[in-house]
Each structure stands twice: as structure tokens, then as C-alpha cells.
Amino acid sequence: MTTDATDAPQRPAPDRPVAELVRNAAYWRWVAATMLHRLPPIMAPMALIWASTHYTGSPAVGGLLVGLATLPCILAAPLFSRLLERWGRERWTPRVLALGGAARLGVAGGFVAHAPVPVLFALSLVGNMATFGVGGAIRTLLRTTVPQRLIGSALSLDAVLVELVVVGAPFVVVVCALFGPAYALFIMGAAMLTNAVLLWPRPKPVSEAGGQAAGKEAAKADADDGIAPDVPESAGVWRNPAFLFWALVTMAFGHFLGTAEVGALPRVALSGGGTTEAAILTGVLGASSAAAGLVYAWYVTRIRLSLSVRAVALLLTMTAGCLVIAEASGWWALVGAFAMLGLCAAPLNSVMTEAPGYVVPRSRMSEAFSVLVATQSIGYSFAGGLLAVVSVHHMLLLGPVTAVLALLAAVVLRPARAAAALGAAAR
């Protein structure tokens, strides 16, 4: 098979990658850390609005903390991740998380103590920066946790577990609300502090007798860490055409998810449905994504298509599903279209998270993954913005627009390989 710049180096694939990951304790610590890292931002909107309404009599303060204290952190996250790379990713990531956890606990205490809004805003900024700024660093830490040959399966399993966080986070807020409006905020802070403990560097003592052998093992691990060893520093991030292609793919992915999740309720309302039907469609999306993620994790090492071809094929399939949602006239057509999107979601999430590891220099990895987090958030927000200015039908029709832009940009950013990928996907 011909490889391109975003293909992993060819190495022997494990016969049972999932079974091998199940026995890897370090991987499950990383998984727990990623789940706890994602929990606070998903809980935040509901938890902050609820606390604000209870303690101030209005949701306005909560809305301020959700919006104005989050957006700048998302945009600044790539720069912050680059600083983490310079300071030392393994050393400073847990420290930043601990600071963010303390700040989120401060927000909870501030509401209880009726602290001034500027104090709550400042604490929220610190907590949000810890959440969004270390996201790229945490993803980069995976390369020191599992060997490259298991990266695809590891990311696919992680994508499945993310669905559990997305589904479970609102219920955590609901349960906490039974005890008091600030409890959910305290849980958010505790999650970040626990995350810091999980990622805290562990000493690796090496005996003198075994020092040489351990050094060879470490060198072997570095050569199999999931990062292309020959990416020059000059490639960078912002002027790296191959990486920009994957950033556009990530934005398209976020736009698809936003179109489906934001548009579910207004779409079923056009056919006389309500919240029950919308919840069913969202559940179908999550369940099918989880199922596809498990299958992909098991068989990813046997797939011979390049990462670029996989991305193109999945984007085209999600485009078809989005158009069906816009034009479907029956309930089961909607169910099938949401299932189609879900079946592509986890595999595409794995592909677009793995591929940048082969086109970005080691020193810029955390920054690159933070850029991907930001672009996915922008794509998701774009779907909500469209709903505010156009009809539901047109919002759904425009769902694939960023995917089309990504496919067109591929021809410019990566001419020879992109053309081959488009041709292979079309056949």
C-alpha cells in the first residue's frame, strides 16, 4: 500500500489489540484522566446556570461564566499548550490541572459565599484554561503510554468512553442538584484534582545492573511512540499544509455533530414531534457511534486504507446522512440517517486524532491537538449560529459545508495524495 504523510509507519499489527489494551494499566489511567478532563466542561453549562439561578435569582451570571469565560480560553488553548511543551509537558500538565481544580472549587465556594461577579469570572477563567489548555498535552501523553501499533485502537476505545461522559454528565448534575446547587461545581473541581493525581509523573527506578537493558527498552519505546521521527521542526503547525487539512476535517466533524445534536429537536418539530423523539435520535447517534467505535478498535489494525482515504470516505458518508436528515419525510429515515452519522463518528474521531501525530514535530504536538480541540468547538458552534440566522431546513442542508471545504482544500493543501484519496473513496 502506498502511504502518504499522514500514514503511520508500517509496523507489525497486533492480532488482538483490544485485549492487549485491556491488560495495560497505564492506558486505563490515561483513559480515566481523559474522561475526568472532559467531565467539567460538559457539566458546566447546566451546573453554572443552576447555581446562578439559585444564588443570584437569575441565570445571567451563569450565562456569563459559560460564554465569556469559556470562548477566550478555547482560542488561547493552542498558545497555552505550546508553553506547556516548553516548560515540560509531563511535569506541568498535572500541576496546571491541580490549579484549575482549585479554581473550580473556588467558583463553587464563591457562589455559596455570594462573591462578586469579577471574582467568579476570574476563577472561571483559570479553571477553563486548565480544562482547554491541557487537552492537547493529555492527548500527547498517550504516545508515552501505549506503542504506536495500538494508537488507533486506543483512540477508538477512548471515543467510545467519551460517549459515556457525554451521556452521563447531565445526570451527574441532576443527582448533585438533589443535595444542593453548588455540589455539581464541587464535583467539577474534584474531577480535575483527581485528574492531576492520575497524570502525576511516577518515578521509574532503574537498578545499576539493569540500567543498560532499560535504556535499550526506552530507546525502543521512543522509536515506537506514535510520532513520525522525521518531521522537521520547520514544518510547524500553522504553516503546515498537511496539518491544516486535518484541522479542516476536525472542524467538519464538529459541524456534523453540532448539526445533528442542535438540530434534532427543531427537525422533529417540523414533523410534529417533540423532546421524546429528539432524545431518541440523539440516543441513536450516541449508541451507533459507540458500537462503531468498538468494532473499529478491534479491526483497525487490519484496515489497509490510508488515514486520508478513511477520512474522505467517512466525510462523504456523513454528508449523505446529513442531507437525508434535511430531506427525509419519514421517521425511520431520520433514525437511519442519525445512525449513519453515528457509525461514522467514532471512527472519524479516531482517524483525525491519530493522523496529526505523523505530520507535526514532537515539540509542537500539544499545540497541534489543542488547535484541533478549538477547531472542533468552532465547527460545533457554527451549527448553532446557523440555526439562529437561517431556517432549520437550510441549517441542515448547510451541515456538510465545512466537509465540502475540507475535501476541496485537500486538493490544494495535499495535491497528489488528496487526489488519490478522493479517487479511492469514489471507487
Side-chain angles (χ1 to χ4, degrees):
M1 179 190 69
T2 302
T3 62
D4 61 22
T6 56
D7 279 329
Q10 296 299 304
R11 295 184 174 93
D15 294 329
R16 303 178 65 187
V18 175
E20 191 170 340
L21 286 172
V22 167
R23 297 190 297 268
N24 189 329
Y27 171 67
W28 290 108
R29 281 197 302 272
W30 180 86
V31 166
T34 59
M35 294 178 72
L36 290 173
H37 170 253
R38 292 178 174 111
L39 186 63
I42 298 175
M43 292 176 61
M46 185 183 297
L48 288 170
I49 295 296
W50 169 235
S52 175
T53 302
H54 178 85
Y55 288 108
T56 70
S58 168
V61 175
L64 175 71
L65 300 182
V66 171
L68 296 182
T70 300
L71 183 59
C73 295
I74 294 176
L75 298 178
L79 176 61
F80 189 81
S81 290
R82 189 170 183 182
L83 290 176
L84 280 181
E85 292 280 8
R86 293 182 178 180
W87 296 341
R89 182 194 319 119
E90 288 80 3
R91 180 183 180 186
W92 280 99
T93 295
R95 287 170 168 79
V96 171
L97 285 168
L99 176 62
R104 288 196 181 273
L105 292 177
V107 172
F111 270 111
V112 174
H114 300 283
V117 173
V119 173
L120 295 175
F121 187 81
L123 290 171
S124 293
L125 280 176
V126 175
N128 288 338
M129 182 52 70
T131 299
F132 294 104
V134 304
I138 293 175
R139 162 58 185 91
T140 307
L141 289 174
L142 178 62
R143 73 180 180 86
T144 60
T145 305
V146 300
Q148 184 276 330
R149 56 194 173 80
L150 294 177
I151 288 288
S153 297
L155 289 172
S156 190
L157 280 180
D158 180 58
V160 173
L161 295 172
V162 169
E163 295 292 342
L164 298 179
V165 177
V166 172
V167 173
F171 291 98
V172 174
V173 177
V174 171
V175 172
C176 290
L178 298 176
F179 301 94
Y183 277 85
L185 301 178
F186 281 115
I187 290 296
M188 290 160 58
M192 294 193 72
L193 291 176
T194 305
N195 195 357
V197 173
L198 289 171
L199 294 177
W200 206 269
R202 286 166 171 75
K204 300 178 180 179
V206 179
S207 64
E208 184 176 351
Q212 186 175 4
K216 292 180 179 179
E217 288 298 321
K220 181 180 178 181
D222 286 342
D224 191 32
D225 63 1
I227 307 298
D230 56 350
V231 178
E233 292 294 323
S234 58
V237 172
W238 299 104
R239 291 181 295 179
N240 185 333
F243 173 75
L244 293 179
F245 165 72
W246 289 106
L248 286 172
V249 171
T250 306
M251 183 181 294
F253 177 77
H255 191 186
F256 277 129
L257 290 187
T259 300
E261 295 177 0
V262 175
L265 181 57
R267 174 62 183 86
V268 296
L270 294 178
S271 305
T275 55
T276 300
E277 289 80 4
I280 292 174
L281 292 179
T282 304
V284 168
L285 179 70
S288 57
S289 177
L294 288 174
V295 173
Y296 186 82
W298 193 268
Y299 290 102
V300 61
T301 55
R302 306 178 189 180
I303 299 176
R304 299 307 176 196
L305 297 176
S306 73
L307 296 175
S308 299
V309 172
R310 297 180 213 176
V312 169
L314 291 167
L315 285 176
L316 291 175
T317 305
M318 295 183 82
T319 296
C322 202
L323 295 177
V324 171
I325 294 174
E327 300 293 343
S329 58
W331 166 250
W332 290 110
L334 281 178
V335 172
F338 271 81
M340 185 186 301
L341 287 181
L343 290 173
C344 296
L348 181 57
N349 185 53
S350 299
V351 168
M352 72 189 192
T353 308
E354 178 183 0
Y358 306 111
V359 298
V360 176
R362 292 173 182 267
S363 62
R364 305 291 290 275
M365 288 299 300
S366 293
E367 177 188 2
F369 286 118
S370 290
V371 170
L372 296 184
V373 172
T375 53
Q376 182 174 336
S377 299
I378 291 171
Y380 194 99
S381 301
F382 185 47
L386 282 174
L387 187 59
V389 296
V390 301
S391 67
V392 176
H393 182 252
H394 286 95
M395 175 261 200
L396 295 171
L397 285 176
L398 291 173
V401 66
T402 47
V404 173
L405 291 176
L407 295 173
L408 292 176
V411 180
V412 178
L413 296 176
R414 308 170 65 252
R417 299 300 183 185
L422 289 168
R427 288 196 292 272

